């Protein structure tokens, strides 16, 4: 579980952080020591565990440091550039920067990059790159121009990929962003065009990158608050100029889209990324750790005094400017267990003012932007192929199906869906979710569109649940499609009590009754189980019995009985069901009670206390429902004259049951006494003579 | 097979004494167990957990500590202030040495076994050197304020930890000075107890000291700094014992609530090298205090006030998941405490300090299987014979005619003559029994009650001629030259010609009583003998071993009988071999020479040698009588083993006459009823 530990500040007395914040924080060759370069003239070497500066160097008045000081890990010297062109190299022992080694270069330096195990690289504003040694050998050498005049380097980073130093930088003009990858060994430079969304034009996204095997994974935090990932190959495939790079969505809405400047991100490891910025438009700035794999927020910390929108990360320590203070936050990430990775939800969810979900929903694809997302997804799947092979568009089956769903006729959809269901892909479940969401979305949009057969087919895959397609039962209820509802009741394990009750209402309603009359003849065609006819047959048999004291007849038609049985089987929790039961009209309550009473009488008719047929309601289900209904509506039912007889019957029944049980209790006590006597006989005392026969 | 009247006797009011200490010897895989009455028992864990030796207790000796040193030498110490060494060959006490520090509470042998430490009431810790034939006082360590209740050596032998009241001291062995004192917290669930007794300590090789104490805690200390590293509160009552595995990767503690907890050193996270002691498994096999625990390489051993010795194999350490991996609960001694006079229908019960003589009742009624018959005469308690002196009775016997009773203690042998005048009984002690009969391990009368055979712990067998009111020493069989192994089991042939004797380890010797010489020796078998008997007429010697094998050896032919060879060829039924109590008595039917009657604690069996042996597929024990099955079916399923499990736990069973059996049962509930009440634990609610 990734976690941010207690932060502490470094004394910044000597630093003068400008409005732009610090120039940079860089590692030094000793662990725990970091070079901090402020926006003006000063470089400070800090020992972080002591929270103290070890040394501080300043350039002369009038000069200005233009590039953060770095450490040359090979020699242990520090390097800084001031006034764009003047390079200074000094040691820990040096006191005055004026008196140290100086080299004036012929072109403006953008940055010096240094990482352990490699020679420092100087990146010129023109895009040219030189090794430090080569440069110092001939400081005035001519520096070529690689990027066009309009382009400005926005961001750069230096990596080791398989022991080869690689420098990547991004430059941009007003229109486009380009990624340059410089392989230092082979001196090959690859250029890629970064394709960004439309909204990106005005604001430069923030970048971070890490090496993922053969690729450099470049992540960008766009002004819409989402993190996108772009994979850049570290080997140049061909010399073809201007390859394009597509990006895919990694995390959605990690910071508020409105935050313009003070956001940044940095990659922590394979799975975790730290994001700095306000999560909501109005909120304070926050440092959040996100797990990309599980799309969860792992940890978050608020910075009420504002930050400079800068974040540095070296070996488990995060640096940032909080207010005027340089803040150090140790970051720990243990090898993640699933529970750890799943993280926690942010507490500020209840503000309710923001329309954007500020944590990533598992069902991201649901609801909105279905198409774009699945497109992005498929793009992501194909990304590597694309890198290696051509850019030939290849539309997968599911995508095609989704587009068909959105446009074509019911018939066509049905045919295509059947084809789709016949194949089984590993992500069948998710695709099925996409498909049903697409169908339901279109249903809502076009009132005339109701692909009943498709939906039935989908339900019968046994994969769907209520929470996966909450709209399905709603639509079926709207259209009073009882068959669909019955199927849902059978198949879905997680129907909420409100939906169950809505179904019950519909099943009991008079419209049903009318329909029934019409459709009476085509019961079988509608797909009801043969159990129902059994039920009615037996019912008739029962009523035909001459000896029966009371003629018991089913108060509802077999069709309705089958539907009600579906309800009786559904799972519920009393507390949630009771309030909904109160909404059912009294007449319907009575009808249902009559039906339940009928079921009960049938049940108690045989010794096993069961009903005939396939999957009939059990006695306890029947009794529970009777109790529930009476609990919810007793006062109402009491007032209805039709219910009087029923209630009397039930009352008599309960009374007789109490009688029986009290008798049983008495018998139990006597039995216990008998058992005791028997035990005493068994214990026999200390001595006895018995007969034993061995066989 | 036969119908018997069974005298079902439950008035043998025997309560095994509680277990005080256990000590496991890795070298010989033996377990020494001491009980609250001073009895010390040796169990051979390799021989199916058979109790092969025992040392009788003594009223003034209460063993508080037990340990093995110098390989297989066994020492104990107790509240009388003496250190004892036991002679495992002759089964007597080699010597007792007063440590002169008052009562001794703890005893520990150094890792090399060459030194012994005792912790005394006066707060002294004394070091003894173990010499080849004795122990010698070496020096005192720094005297502590109060009694030393527990001791543990560092595996390197350089330091020791001593648990006292309220604190633990760490000593340097070389200088004998106290290096550290670690004060134990008296708080228990917010209540401060008046004192905290450190019941047990264990020193690990990394310098960690584990302590268990009376406030219910298991605590880990760093002995170098004297700081508490970790504390586990595991009980509301005392934690009384601790034992650590040799590999130091697990340890076991026992609490006064009867729970045994297993702690293991496990990695904090998978594939990390950092390890931590974690309480892994609780076991509740005891109802009362677990006074002592031991940790063998494959099992946790515990014992306490409830008198059960529990051996709980660690499933992860058991390589073969066979019957040895099952839990063992040993409650009753593996020797006979009951003898019987068939002619007079008398039972003699042996207790630690007295004997009881009972006469069985009678009935005139008959009945069918399972019936309880009305008694025409109830059983009578005839005699209560108290021993003189503080020593426990080792063994006792009543003659078949019922007119002689003999018993022995460690220092004396007693013989009584009984006379029955109508309903009255008179007892007359035979005086001047020779001293060499003392501490006899087994006493046996000949079938005609004219001879007495005594197996002494020196390995010799004595034959005494019994006359009216006096005796005459006839002969002594001396042990084979060079061996002093104690003889513990005897059997005499009904015709009085043969005497078989077996020692503590394998080997049964058969003597000819007419010529008074050794007749033959039964081929050695690797498991100890648990019961012996010689059949009438055929003079076949039947021997039961602790691995549940039964052999039949023809004495006249000096070889195993044909039946015995067949049995060995085919093998016993699997379930027969899986029984976990040894056969303690064998007898024969006077009219049916093919029958052998034998029993262990949980079953009674008649082996009919004329019937085929069961194979592993056959049902060994079929409690239900055959009903209407055809003869063919009966013939097909019937086999030689007729087993009854009605009577249990069965301490003694014998044939009184052709149609009458006597079974002495001792129900566990009756034992529990006589124990002190256990610590009450709330089970439900608050």
């Amino acid at each position: 579980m990734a976690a941010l530990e207690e932060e502490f500040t470094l004394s910044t007395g000597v630093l003068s952080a400008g409005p732009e914040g610090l120039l940079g924080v860089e590692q030094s060759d000793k662990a725990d020591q970091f070079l901090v370069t402020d926006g003006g003239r000063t470089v400070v070497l800090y020992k972080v565990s002591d929270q103290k500066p070890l040394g501080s160097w300043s350039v002369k008045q009038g000069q200005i440091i233009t590039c953060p000081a770095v450490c040359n890990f090979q020699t242990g010297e520090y390097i800084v550039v001031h006034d764009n062109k003047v390079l200074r190299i000094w040691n820990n022992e040096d006191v005055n920067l004026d008196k140290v080694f100086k080299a004036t270069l012929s072109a403006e330096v953008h940055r010096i990059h240094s990482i352990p195990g490699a020679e420092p690289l100087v990146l010129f504003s023109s895009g040219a790159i030189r090794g430090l040694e080569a440069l110092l050998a001939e400081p005035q050498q001519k520096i070529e121009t690689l990027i066009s005049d309009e382009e400005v380097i926005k961001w750069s980073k230096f990596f080791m990929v398989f022991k080869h130093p690689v420098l990547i930088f991004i430059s941009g003009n007003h229109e486009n962003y380009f990624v340059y990858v410089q392989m230092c060994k082979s001196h090959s430079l690859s250029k890629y065009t970064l394709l960004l969304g439309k909204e990106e034009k005005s604001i430069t996204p923030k970048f971070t990158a890490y090496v993922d095997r053969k690729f450099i994974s470049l992540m960008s935090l766009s002004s819409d608050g989402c993190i996108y990932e772009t994979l850049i190959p570290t080997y140049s495939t061909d010399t073809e100029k201007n390859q394009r790079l597509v990006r895919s969505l990694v995390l959605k809405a990690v910071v508020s889209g409105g935050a313009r400047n003070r956001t940044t991100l940095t990659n922590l490891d394979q799975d975790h990324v730290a994001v700095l910025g306000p999560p909501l438009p109005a909120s304070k700035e926050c440092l959040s750790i996100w797990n990309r794999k599980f799309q969860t927020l792992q940890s978050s910390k608020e910075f009420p005094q504002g930050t400079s929108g800068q974040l540095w990360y070296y070996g488990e320590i995060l640096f940032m400017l909080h207010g005027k203070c340089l803040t150090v936050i140790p970051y720990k990430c243990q090898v993640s267990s699933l529970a750890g990775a799943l993280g926690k939800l942010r507490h500020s969810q209840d503000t309710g003012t923001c329309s954007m979900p500020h944590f990533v929903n598992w069902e991201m694809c649901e609801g909105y932007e279905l198409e774009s997302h699945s497109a992005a997804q498929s793009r992501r799947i194909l990304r590597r192929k694309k890198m290696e092979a051509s850019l030939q568009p290849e539309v997968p089956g599911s995508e095609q199906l989704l587009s068909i769903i959105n446009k074509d006729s019911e018939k066509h959809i049905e045919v295509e869906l059947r084809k789709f269901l016949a194949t089984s892909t590993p992500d069948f479940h998710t695709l099925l979710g996409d498909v049903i969401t697409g169908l339901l979305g279109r249903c809502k949009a076009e009132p005339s569109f109701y692909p009943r057969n498709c939906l039935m087919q989908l339900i019968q895959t046994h994969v769907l649940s209520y929470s996966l397609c909450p709209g399905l039962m709603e639509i079926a209820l709207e259209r009073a499609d009882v068959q669909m509802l019955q199927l849902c009741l059978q198949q879905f394990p997680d129907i909420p009590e409100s939906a169950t009750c809505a179904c019950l209402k519909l099943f009991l309603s008079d419209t049903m009754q009318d329909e029934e009359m019409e459709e009476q003849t085509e019961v079988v065609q509608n797909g009801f189980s043969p159990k129902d006819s059994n039920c009615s047959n037996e019912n008739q048999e029962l009523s035909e019995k001459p000896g029966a004291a009371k003629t018991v007849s089913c108060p509802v038609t077999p069709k309705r009985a089958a539907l009600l049985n579906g309800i009786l089987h559904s799972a519920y929790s009393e507390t949630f069901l009771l309030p909904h039961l109160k909404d059912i009209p009294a007449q319907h309550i009575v009808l249902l009670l009559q039906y339940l009473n009928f079921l009960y009488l049938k049940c108690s008719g045989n010794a096993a206390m069961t009903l005939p047929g396939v999957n009939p309601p059990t006695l306890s289900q029947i009794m529970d429902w009777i109790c529930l209904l009476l609990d919810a509506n007793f006062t109402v039912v009491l007032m209805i004259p039709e219910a009087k007889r029923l209630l009397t019957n039930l009352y008599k029944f309960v009374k007789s049951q109490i009688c029986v049980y009290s008798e049983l209790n008495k018998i139990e006590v006597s039995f216990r006494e008998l058992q005791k006597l028997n035990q005493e006989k068994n214990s026999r005392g200390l001595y006895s003579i018995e007969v034993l026969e061995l066989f | 097979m036969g119908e018997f009247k069974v005298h079902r006797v439950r008035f043998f009011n025997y309560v095994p004494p509680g277990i005080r200490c256990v000590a496991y010897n890795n070298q010989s895989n033996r377990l020494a167990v001491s009980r609250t009455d001073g009895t010390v028992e040796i169990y051979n864990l390799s021989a199916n957990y058979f109790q092969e030796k025992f040392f009788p207790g003594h009223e003034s000796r209460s063993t508080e500590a037990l340990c093995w040193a110098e390989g297989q030498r066994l020492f104990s110490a107790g509240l009388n202030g003496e250190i004892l060494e036991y002679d495992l060959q002759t089964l007597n006490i080699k010597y007792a040495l007063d440590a002169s520090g008052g009562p001794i509470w703890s005893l520990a042998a150094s890792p090399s076994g060459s030194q012994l430490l005792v912790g005394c009431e006066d707060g002294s810790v004394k070091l003894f050197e173990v010499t080849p034939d004795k122990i010698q006082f070496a020096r005192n360590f720094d005297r502590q304020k109060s009694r030393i209740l527990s001791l543990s050596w560092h595996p390197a032998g350089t330091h020791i930890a001593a648990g006292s009241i309220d604190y633990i001291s760490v000593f340097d062995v070389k200088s004998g000075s106290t290096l550290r004192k670690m004060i134990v917290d008296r708080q228990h669930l917010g209540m401060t107890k008046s004192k905290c007794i450190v019941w047990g300590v264990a020193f690990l090789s990394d310098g960690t000291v584990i302590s268990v104490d009376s406030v219910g805690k298991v605590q880990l200390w760093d002995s170098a700094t004297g700081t508490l590293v970790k504390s586990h509160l595991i009980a509301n009552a005392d934690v009384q014992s601790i034992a650590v595995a040799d590999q130091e990767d697990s340890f076991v503690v026992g609490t006064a609530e009867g729970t045994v907890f297993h702690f293991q050193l496990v990695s904090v996270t998978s594939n990390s090298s950092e390890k931590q002691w974690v309480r892994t498994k609780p076991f509740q096999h005891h109802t009362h205090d677990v006074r002592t625990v031991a940790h063998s390489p494959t099992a946790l051993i515990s014992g306490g006030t409830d008198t059960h010795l529990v051996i709980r194999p660690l499933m992860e350490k058991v390589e073969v998941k066979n019957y040895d991996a099952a839990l063992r609960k040993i409650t009753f001694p593996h020797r006979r405490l009951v003898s019987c006079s068939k002619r007079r229908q008398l039972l003699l019960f042996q207790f630690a300090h007295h004997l009881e003589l009972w006469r069985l009742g009678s009935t005139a009624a008959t009945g069918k299987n399972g019936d309880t018959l009305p008694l025409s005469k109830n059983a009578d308690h005839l005699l209560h014979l108290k021993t003189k002196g503080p020593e426990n009775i080792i063994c006792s016997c009543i003659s078949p005619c019922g007119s002689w009773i003999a018993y022995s203690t460690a220092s004396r042998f007693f013989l009584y003559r009984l006379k029955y005048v109508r309903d009255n009984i008179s007892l007359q002690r035979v005086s001047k029994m020779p001293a060499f009969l003392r501490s006899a391990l087994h006493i046996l009368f000949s079938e005609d009650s004219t001879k007495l055979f005594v197996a002494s712990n020196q390995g010799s067998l004595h034959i005494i001629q019994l006359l009216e009111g006096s005796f005459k020493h006839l002969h002594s069989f001396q042990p084979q030259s060079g061996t002093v192994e104690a003889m513990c089991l005897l059997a005499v042939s009904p015709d009085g010609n043969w005497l078989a004797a077996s020692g503590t380890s394998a080997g049964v010797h058969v003597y000819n009583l007419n010529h008074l010489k050794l007749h033959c020796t039964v081929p050695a078998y690797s498991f100890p003998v648990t019961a012996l008997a010689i059949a009438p007429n055929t003079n076949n010697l039947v021997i039961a071993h602790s691995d549940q094998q039964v052999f039949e050896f023809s004495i006249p032919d000096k070889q195993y009988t044909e039946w015995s060879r067949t049995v060995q060829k085919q093998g016993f039924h699997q379930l027969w071999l899986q029984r976990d109590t040894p056969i303690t008595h064998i007898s024969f039917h006077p009219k049916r020479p093919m029958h052998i009657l034998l029993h262990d604690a949980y079953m009674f069996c008649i082996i009919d040698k004329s019937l085929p042996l069961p194979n592993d597929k056959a049902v060994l024990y079929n409690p239900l009588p055959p009903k209407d099955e055809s003869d063919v079916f009966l013939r097909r399923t019937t086999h030689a083993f007729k087993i009854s499990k009605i009577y249990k736990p069965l301490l003694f069973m014998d044939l009184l006459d052709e149609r009458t059996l006597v079974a002495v049962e001792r129900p566990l509930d009756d034992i529990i009823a006589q124990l002190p009440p256990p610590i009450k634990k709330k089970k439900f609610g608050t």
Side-chain angles (χ1 to χ4, degrees), chain A residues 230-244:
Chain A
T230 308
L231 290 190
I232 303 162
T234 51
Y235 53 91
S236 42
T237 43
D238 45 42
T239 49
E240 187 200 334
K241 289 289 168 200
N242 222 355
Q243 300 175 80
R244 288 162 165 254

Side-chain angles (χ1 to χ4, degrees), chain B residues 225-360:
Chain B
T225 56
T227 47
L228 179 64
V229 178
K230 179 108 191 162
S231 180
H232 297 267
L233 181 66
I234 59 165
N236 284 322
D238 299 32
V239 185
Q240 295 186 309
S241 44
I242 177 168
V244 182
D246 286 343
Q247 289 83 26
E248 296 191 357
D249 58 351
S250 88
F251 69 86
V252 56
V253 299
T255 74
E257 292 169 328
T259 320
V260 170
F261 289 102
H262 189 206
F263 283 76
Q264 280 172 294
L265 193 61
V266 291
S267 302
V268 177
T269 55
S270 62
N271 68 38
S272 93
S273 62
E274 194 190 341
K275 289 189 165 187
Q276 190 178 319
W277 285 105
V278 175
R279 190 176 87 188
T280 50
K281 289 170 241 142
F283 300 111
Q284 183 85 47
H285 299 304
H286 295 276
T287 52
H288 290 66
D289 300 32
V290 179
R291 296 296 298 272
T292 178
V293 286
H295 199 311
S296 84
T298 56
L300 307 180
I301 300 159
S302 56
T305 313
D306 64 359
T307 77
H308 303 296
L309 176 68
V310 175
I311 298 164
R312 173 71 170 74
L314 295 169
M315 297 315 284
E316 67 268 24
K317 298 275 174 67
V318 178
E319 277 160 19
V320 195
K321 299 273 185 283
N322 64 1
Y323 198 66
D324 279 344
L327 172 83
R328 289 290 177 113
K329 212 167 189 176
I330 301 170
T331 311
F332 296 104
H334 292 161
R335 58 181 198 274
R336 270 163 57 195
L337 299 173
V338 181
S339 55
C340 159
S341 156
K342 292 184 181 180
R343 208 164 306 154
R344 285 193 181 269
Q345 307 226 321
L346 300 173
L347 286 179
L348 183 72
F349 298 139
Q350 175 191 325
F351 295 85
H353 292 284
H354 70 271
L355 299 170
E356 278 182 14
L357 186 66
W358 289 74
R359 180 164 34 215
L360 295 172

